[in-house]
Amino acid sequence: MITDDDIKRIIKESIEPKSDKQSLEEAYVATEKPFDLKTEFLSAANKKNHIELYEGYIKEFNEISSKLDTVDRMASNSNHSAYRCLKVDETYNMNAVYLHELYFANVNDLNSKITMDSLSYMRLARDFGSFDDWQKDFIACCKASRCGWAMTYYNFYTKSFMNTCIDLHSENVPAFGYPVIVMDVWQHAYYKDYLKDVKTYVVAMMKQFNWNVIEKRFEKVDRITKALRG
Amino acid sequence: MITDDDIKRIIKESIEPKSDKQSLEEAYVATEKPFDLKTEFLSAANKKNHIELYEGYIKEFNEISSKLDTVDRMASNSNHSAYRCLKVDETYNMNAVYLHELYFANVNDLNSKITMDSLSYMRLARDFGSFDDWQKDFIACCKASRCGWAMTYYNFYTKSFMNTCIDLHSENVPAFGYPVIVMDVWQHAYYKDYLKDVKTYVVAMMKQFNWNVIEKRFEKVDRITKALRG
Amino acid sequence: MITDDDIKRIIKESIEPKSDKQSLEEAYVATEKPFDLKTEFLSAANKKNHIELYEGYIKEFNEISSKLDTVDRMASNSNHSAYRCLKVDETYNMNAVYLHELYFANVNDLNSKITMDSLSYMRLARDFGSFDDWQKDFIACCKASRCGWAMTYYNFYTKSFMNTCIDLHSENVPAFGYPVIVMDVWQHAYYKDYLKDVKTYVVAMMKQFNWNVIEKRFEKVDRITKALRG
Amino acid sequence: MITDDDIKRIIKESIEPKSDKQSLEEAYVATEKPFDLKTEFLSAANKKNHIELYEGYIKEFNEISSKLDTVDRMASNSNHSAYRCLKVDETYNMNAVYLHELYFANVNDLNSKITMDSLSYMRLARDFGSFDDWQKDFIACCKASRCGWAMTYYNFYTKSFMNTCIDLHSENVPAFGYPVIVMDVWQHAYYKDYLKDVKTYVVAMMKQFNWNVIEKRFEKVDRITKALRG
């Protein structure tokens, strides 16, 4: 049930600009986050290149968002239209931006460890049979993707955590999920250092999963599921 | 922060099967929901056919889930493997199932109306500039999709409601969203009755949007965002 | 070996515009072909609608070709660029145009028959084991496509005729082939008259294959393969 | 016109196995070709890795072809079926095999040169305005592809040479073409040596185009077009 206070807040928000966007003109403006990739499993050249790729996606996403403000919506059609091109590439670049941010943040802990009483551990054990089963399935997803991503996410339909393998940035993507663990398996992530040995790269990255960062995401899902249960 | 009670509950859940799945052997088993499509804008033959399509997706999704229990994960690779085929088609059929459920539930109100003090109205006005701007953008998405879906969803990255156009069931899909309004724009949804006139079909369906159903989804997003703010 | 005469002709052609394009300014201008679909297995409304769809693809293809004359090639990139959008949609609409033309021309013979001494029959028998095996495989392709096409084509790599199933107009497409038999299995081709019963539609169309038209395509492949052996 | 001799030959071929496949049981068996990549613009590690990738595609393509001999065609459907998985991956791996073969063969000449009286030069000049215009357009295609290929090919519909950009191995692919110039722009082709600088990689490879190999492909197209004119 929404309360009177909720209604007041909502009305206020619908009149005033949202607090975290006060200085912006367009609907969304992505801002680059600074990442310091500490891992020794990737070369400095690879890490520098990867951050620059991410910056490129930010730039494109902002340009697309800006163009979408004024593109002709009446002329939209599925065969060829400016609107369609922008929307398709908006999703492509937006996924690229956020999946990279989630990835950079979760592969960066030289002293990585997970404890059995963590939410991450217990949730993965619950939904995959055991933590080890999750690991095997996640690695299988990493190996199955054709230049893309493996992702563990909370699925709002099945009401459980699932793994998925995405091609490129926006193909074969579940349409209703909250990501908690993300692995970049585009060839750009590992070819400099591992050539086609994607499995060695993936296992190396998993050894440096930042389970503190991941735990916070699992905690958020826990809060979400409680809120949905109402 | 997770409390002691949370921990107890979590441990309990990780040991016992989840309450809503007690009778199931596999990880997920989709069960068909009954839908009675009241709309007069679609022929009886079309509606019957559409429900049968949905049942077909349910059946395939369950078969795939079952096969995934035992498929060889070690042999997974991106060029061709049983695991990859199953995971790609799992996403395809799962999206088909849930997007159909969301669609059937939200296009079914002969006395459709939305009030300006509803959460739906205020949120769409806030994030699209005005309710009318949302409508124009949503119709543009419907026209832009190549056999697929238009969807209004809450985006966990931009922290706002956005429209997107999906091709087929799983291409050009945002990877982190909670759907609130869904329109089927596969040709199977309208060709029997409207042939290529997708716009007339879409406007007809929008006239029967069930804003009560949709409002509950917006309320859930409101609870989610409050929970995430924590 | 190219002869002196060849060289003269080639030089002449590289200086003068090609004879079949003398009046055109742009690189390619698709012109609509008239089709009179005689089949009684499709309703008049369906046939009229289908021809109009085809005309839409022609129009888009010509607009894209025209825009490609002057688009900025230096600014091309894979994340988002006018050049990429145009090239991707050029292929989409061009495939749509030509596959429709091949389809309309080959499903239109009320007195359809194939003789065992025809090139079509013998080639299909040679490369698929028997004519009947080709039929079964072709129908399987029609049923496997997700809104798209089934196509029998001569494959320049395997040096044999193969069947393939295309999604939409340009996904899962062999990159080196000469089409000889084409079936439209987009839902737009059959939903008005058959709803989801794609198999009944396909079998009906196959009963009206114009084997005279198809034979000429097989003869062309025969001339091509002889020329390549040359 | 097909002659009596043609008919005899054709009947003979439909009874006996084709001469180049006499020892094979399955419809097609791809055999690996040896490639010695002489270029100094790629590291030895990169070249070795690339050949191994190609061998992997050969292996998968043969396995898929073999499975297709006996897969259940009656059970084929578009949502999920063994037949569909095999056909989609057959095209993916087959394109990978042949495009790699065309690429390896055409980027390998340390003393690369093209003369203005070559067929290659004159045809590209004729269909793109000038040889230089073809170059600019081809480079734009290389930059536009999302992990995939740029290809110059003879298009049987437009009756001219065109450039296209393919994503992965089988997306955005023209359905009726004969390839003459092929560039691998998957990240696996250049990341080891060039990281994200695809343009420098492409220009380096183009400096070593083997125009003798390419010329033979243009000659074949010339023979094909003469044969089609009949």
Side-chain angles (χ1 to χ4, degrees):
Chain A
M1 281 284 73
I2 59 172
T3 65
D4 282 3
D5 279 356
D6 284 331
I7 289 174
K8 281 179 204 157
R9 177 176 51 78
I10 289 158
I11 291 171
K12 190 161 164 291
E13 286 176 13
S14 73
I15 296 164
E16 297 176 20
K18 280 194 292 182
S19 57
D20 57 340
K21 287 192 178 174
Q22 274 172 339
S23 61
L24 308 180
E25 300 258 327
E26 288 93 26
Y28 359 95
V29 175
T31 48
E32 194 188 325
K33 285 177 193 50
F35 291 102
D36 173 23
L37 296 177
K38 294 185 209 77
T39 177
E40 289 162 7
F41 291 134
L42 301 173
S43 62
N46 184 349
K47 290 190 275 190
K48 181 170 176 291
N49 183 81
H50 211 163
I51 299 292
E52 289 169 3
L53 273 188
Y54 157 69
E55 293 167 344
Y57 289 120
I58 295 256
K59 187 174 149 288
E60 286 298 345
F61 176 59
N62 284 335
E63 283 187 17
I64 292 165
S65 293
S66 171
K67 286 182 198 162
L68 274 167
D69 276 357
T70 54
V71 70
D72 184 356
R73 279 159 175 74
M74 294 294 287
S76 169
N77 75 70
S78 66
N79 288 346
H80 178 66
S81 59
Y83 183 79
R84 177 181 158 83
C85 282
L86 287 166
K87 289 302 284 185
V88 167
D89 287 354
E90 177 191 49
T91 299
Y92 180 84
N93 286 277
M94 181 184 67
N95 281 1
V97 167
Y98 195 39
L99 292 174
H100 271 111
E101 292 187 1
L102 294 166
Y103 163 73
F104 289 150
N106 75 194
V107 291
N108 212 8
D109 184 356
L110 304 185
N111 305 306
S112 167
K113 66 175 177 186
I114 181 166
T115 58
M116 291 181 67
D117 63 349
S118 67
L119 200 52
S120 311
Y121 188 95
M122 290 186 290
R123 286 293 179 250
L124 294 174
R126 183 193 66 186
D127 288 347
F128 289 86
S130 73
F131 183 80
D132 194 49
D133 285 336
W134 166 76
Q135 277 190 305
K136 283 177 186 153
D137 193 64
F138 189 76
I139 293 170
C141 273
C142 291
K143 290 161 67 185
S145 170
R146 288 179 180 164
C147 272
W149 300 87
M151 176 171 91
T152 305
Y153 69 105
Y154 182 74
N155 185 308
F156 291 110
Y157 170 61
T158 63
K159 298 188 173 60
S160 61
F161 289 93
M162 292 178 69
N163 289 330
T164 196
C165 59
I166 294 171
D167 290 342
L168 300 175
H169 295 309
S170 50
E171 299 189 21
N172 309 319
V173 181
F176 25 79
Y178 190 93
V180 290
I181 307 177
V182 171
M183 180 69 72
D184 191 341
V185 281
W186 275 67
Q187 294 175 336
H188 67 233
Y190 60 93
Y191 247 71
K192 179 72 182 173
D193 301 324
Y194 295 90
L195 284 165
K196 72 173 153 42
D197 189 1
V198 63
K199 190 175 170 189
T200 299
Y201 153 75
V202 165
V203 171
M205 291 297 103
M206 289 175 79
K207 280 183 189 156
Q208 301 190 336
F209 266 153
N210 190 324
W211 287 105
N212 295 321
V213 164
I214 292 168
E215 183 74 0
K216 285 194 175 55
R217 297 177 190 160
F218 275 92
E219 287 173 11
K220 285 185 177 174
V221 171
D222 218 48
R223 296 210 299 268
I224 288 172
T225 54
K226 270 195 277 187
L228 288 175
R229 247 180 265 142
Chain B
M1 281 284 71
I2 59 172
T3 65
D4 281 3
D5 279 355
D6 284 331
I7 288 174
K8 282 181 205 156
R9 175 175 52 77
I10 289 158
I11 290 172
K12 191 163 163 289
E13 286 176 14
S14 73
I15 294 165
E16 296 176 19
K18 280 195 290 182
S19 57
D20 57 341
K21 287 193 178 174
Q22 273 171 340
S23 60
L24 308 180
E25 302 258 326
E26 288 93 26
Y28 359 95
V29 175
T31 48
E32 195 190 323
K33 286 178 192 51
F35 291 102
D36 173 23
L37 296 177
K38 295 186 208 73
T39 179
E40 290 162 7
F41 291 134
L42 300 174
S43 63
N46 185 350
K47 289 191 276 189
K48 181 169 175 292
N49 182 80
H50 211 163
I51 299 292
E52 288 169 2
L53 273 188
Y54 158 69
E55 292 167 344
Y57 289 121
I58 294 257
K59 186 173 150 289
E60 285 299 344
F61 176 58
N62 285 335
E63 282 187 17
I64 292 165
S65 293
S66 170
K67 285 183 199 162
L68 274 167
D69 276 356
T70 54
V71 69
D72 184 356
R73 278 157 175 76
M74 294 295 285
S76 170
N77 75 70
S78 66
N79 289 346
H80 178 67
S81 58
Y83 183 79
R84 177 181 160 83
C85 281
L86 287 167
K87 289 302 283 184
V88 167
D89 287 353
E90 177 192 47
T91 300
Y92 179 85
N93 286 278
M94 181 184 67
N95 281 2
V97 167
Y98 195 39
L99 292 174
H100 272 111
E101 292 187 1
L102 294 165
Y103 164 72
F104 290 149
N106 76 193
V107 290
N108 212 7
D109 184 355
L110 304 185
N111 305 306
S112 167
K113 67 177 176 186
I114 182 168
T115 57
M116 291 182 66
D117 62 350
S118 67
L119 200 52
S120 311
Y121 187 95
M122 290 185 291
R123 286 293 179 249
L124 295 174
R126 182 193 68 187
D127 288 347
F128 289 87
S130 73
F131 183 80
D132 194 49
D133 284 337
W134 166 77
Q135 276 191 306
K136 283 177 186 152
D137 194 63
F138 189 76
I139 292 170
C141 273
C142 290
K143 290 161 67 187
S145 171
R146 287 178 181 164
C147 273
W149 300 87
M151 177 171 90
T152 305
Y153 70 105
Y154 183 74
N155 184 308
F156 291 109
Y157 170 61
T158 64
K159 295 188 175 61
S160 61
F161 290 94
M162 293 177 69
N163 289 330
T164 197
C165 58
I166 295 171
D167 290 343
L168 299 175
H169 295 310
S170 50
E171 300 189 20
N172 308 320
V173 182
F176 24 79
Y178 189 93
V180 291
I181 306 177
V182 171
M183 181 68 73
D184 191 340
V185 282
W186 276 67
Q187 294 174 336
H188 67 233
Y190 59 93
Y191 248 69
K192 179 71 181 173
D193 301 322
Y194 295 89
L195 284 166
K196 71 175 153 43
D197 188 2
V198 63
K199 191 175 170 189
T200 299
Y201 153 76
V202 165
V203 171
M205 291 296 102
M206 290 175 77
K207 280 183 189 157
Q208 301 191 335
F209 266 153
N210 191 324
W211 288 103
N212 296 322
V213 164
I214 292 169
E215 183 74 359
K216 285 194 175 53
R217 297 177 190 160
F218 274 91
E219 287 172 11
K220 285 184 177 175
V221 171
D222 218 47
R223 297 211 298 269
I224 288 172
T225 54
K226 270 195 277 186
L228 288 175
R229 247 180 264 141
Chain C
M1 282 283 69
I2 59 171
T3 66
D4 282 4
D5 278 357
D6 284 331
I7 289 175
K8 282 180 202 155
R9 176 176 52 79
I10 289 158
I11 291 172
K12 191 163 163 290
E13 286 176 13
S14 73
I15 296 165
E16 298 176 19
K18 278 195 292 181
S19 56
D20 58 339
K21 288 194 177 174
Q22 274 172 340
S23 60
L24 309 180
E25 302 258 326
E26 287 94 25
Y28 359 94
V29 176
T31 48
E32 195 189 324
K33 285 178 192 51
F35 290 102
D36 173 23
L37 295 178
K38 293 185 209 74
T39 178
E40 290 161 8
F41 291 133
L42 301 173
S43 63
N46 185 350
K47 290 191 274 188
K48 181 170 176 292
N49 183 80
H50 210 163
I51 298 291
E52 288 168 2
L53 272 188
Y54 158 69
E55 292 167 344
Y57 290 121
I58 295 255
K59 185 174 151 290
E60 285 299 345
F61 177 58
N62 284 334
E63 283 186 18
I64 292 166
S65 292
S66 170
K67 285 183 198 162
L68 274 167
D69 275 357
T70 53
V71 70
D72 184 356
R73 278 158 176 76
M74 294 296 285
S76 169
N77 76 70
S78 65
N79 288 346
H80 179 66
S81 59
Y83 183 78
R84 179 182 157 83
C85 282
L86 287 167
K87 290 302 284 184
V88 167
D89 287 353
E90 177 191 49
T91 299
Y92 180 85
N93 286 278
M94 181 183 66
N95 280 2
V97 167
Y98 195 39
L99 292 174
H100 271 112
E101 293 188 1
L102 294 166
Y103 164 72
F104 289 150
N106 76 192
V107 291
N108 212 7
D109 184 357
L110 303 186
N111 305 305
S112 168
K113 66 176 177 184
I114 181 167
T115 57
M116 291 181 66
D117 63 349
S118 67
L119 199 53
S120 311
Y121 187 94
M122 289 185 290
R123 286 292 178 251
L124 295 174
R126 183 193 67 187
D127 288 347
F128 289 86
S130 72
F131 183 79
D132 194 49
D133 284 337
W134 165 76
Q135 276 190 304
K136 283 177 187 153
D137 194 63
F138 189 76
I139 293 170
C141 273
C142 290
K143 290 161 67 186
S145 170
R146 286 177 182 165
C147 273
W149 301 87
M151 176 170 90
T152 305
Y153 69 105
Y154 182 75
N155 184 308
F156 291 110
Y157 171 62
T158 63
K159 297 188 174 62
S160 61
F161 289 93
M162 292 178 68
N163 288 331
T164 197
C165 58
I166 294 171
D167 290 344
L168 299 175
H169 295 310
S170 50
E171 298 188 22
N172 309 320
V173 182
F176 26 78
Y178 189 94
V180 291
I181 306 177
V182 171
M183 181 68 73
D184 191 339
V185 282
W186 276 66
Q187 294 174 336
H188 67 233
Y190 58 93
Y191 247 70
K192 179 71 181 173
D193 301 323
Y194 295 89
L195 284 165
K196 72 174 153 44
D197 188 1
V198 63
K199 191 176 170 189
T200 299
Y201 153 76
V202 165
V203 171
M205 290 297 103
M206 289 175 78
K207 280 185 189 155
Q208 301 191 336
F209 266 153
N210 190 324
W211 288 104
N212 295 322
V213 164
I214 292 169
E215 183 75 358
K216 285 193 175 53
R217 296 176 190 160
F218 274 92
E219 287 173 11
K220 283 183 177 175
V221 170
D222 218 50
R223 296 210 298 269
I224 288 172
T225 53
K226 269 194 276 186
L228 289 174
R229 244 180 268 142
Chain D
M1 281 283 70
I2 59 170
T3 65
D4 281 3
D5 278 356
D6 283 331
I7 289 174
K8 281 180 205 158
R9 176 177 50 78
I10 289 157
I11 291 173
K12 190 162 164 289
E13 286 175 15
S14 73
I15 295 165
E16 297 176 20
K18 279 195 291 182
S19 56
D20 58 340
K21 286 193 178 174
Q22 273 171 342
S23 61
L24 309 179
E25 301 256 327
E26 288 92 28
Y28 1 95
V29 175
T31 48
E32 194 188 324
K33 286 178 192 50
F35 291 102
D36 172 24
L37 296 177
K38 294 184 208 75
T39 178
E40 289 162 8
F41 291 133
L42 300 173
S43 64
N46 185 348
K47 290 191 275 190
K48 181 169 175 293
N49 183 80
H50 211 164
I51 298 292
E52 289 168 3
L53 273 188
Y54 157 68
E55 293 166 343
Y57 289 121
I58 294 257
K59 187 174 149 290
E60 285 299 345
F61 176 58
N62 285 335
E63 283 187 17
I64 292 166
S65 293
S66 171
K67 285 182 199 162
L68 274 167
D69 275 356
T70 54
V71 70
D72 184 356
R73 278 158 175 76
M74 294 294 286
S76 169
N77 75 70
S78 66
N79 289 346
H80 178 67
S81 59
Y83 183 79
R84 178 181 158 84
C85 281
L86 287 166
K87 288 303 285 184
V88 167
D89 286 354
E90 177 191 48
T91 299
Y92 180 85
N93 286 279
M94 181 184 67
N95 281 2
V97 167
Y98 195 39
L99 293 173
H100 271 112
E101 292 187 1
L102 294 166
Y103 164 72
F104 289 151
N106 77 192
V107 291
N108 213 8
D109 184 357
L110 304 186
N111 304 305
S112 168
K113 67 176 177 186
I114 181 168
T115 58
M116 292 181 65
D117 62 350
S118 67
L119 200 53
S120 310
Y121 187 95
M122 289 185 291
R123 286 293 179 250
L124 295 174
R126 183 193 67 187
D127 287 347
F128 288 86
S130 72
F131 183 80
D132 195 49
D133 284 336
W134 165 76
Q135 277 190 306
K136 283 177 186 152
D137 193 64
F138 189 76
I139 292 169
C141 273
C142 290
K143 290 161 67 186
S145 170
R146 286 178 181 164
C147 272
W149 299 86
M151 176 171 90
T152 306
Y153 69 105
Y154 183 75
N155 184 308
F156 291 110
Y157 171 61
T158 64
K159 297 189 175 62
S160 61
F161 289 93
M162 293 176 69
N163 289 330
T164 197
C165 57
I166 294 171
D167 290 344
L168 299 175
H169 295 309
S170 50
E171 299 188 21
N172 308 321
V173 182
F176 26 79
Y178 189 93
V180 291
I181 306 176
V182 172
M183 181 68 75
D184 191 340
V185 282
W186 276 66
Q187 293 175 336
H188 67 233
Y190 60 93
Y191 247 70
K192 180 70 182 174
D193 300 324
Y194 295 90
L195 283 166
K196 72 174 153 43
D197 188 1
V198 63
K199 191 176 171 189
T200 299
Y201 153 76
V202 165
V203 171
M205 291 297 103
M206 289 175 78
K207 280 183 188 155
Q208 301 190 337
F209 266 154
N210 190 325
W211 288 103
N212 295 322
V213 164
I214 292 169
E215 183 74 0
K216 284 193 175 55
R217 297 176 190 161
F218 274 92
E219 287 172 11
K220 284 185 177 173
V221 171
D222 218 50
R223 296 210 299 268
I224 288 173
T225 53
K226 270 195 276 186
L228 288 175
R229 246 179 265 141

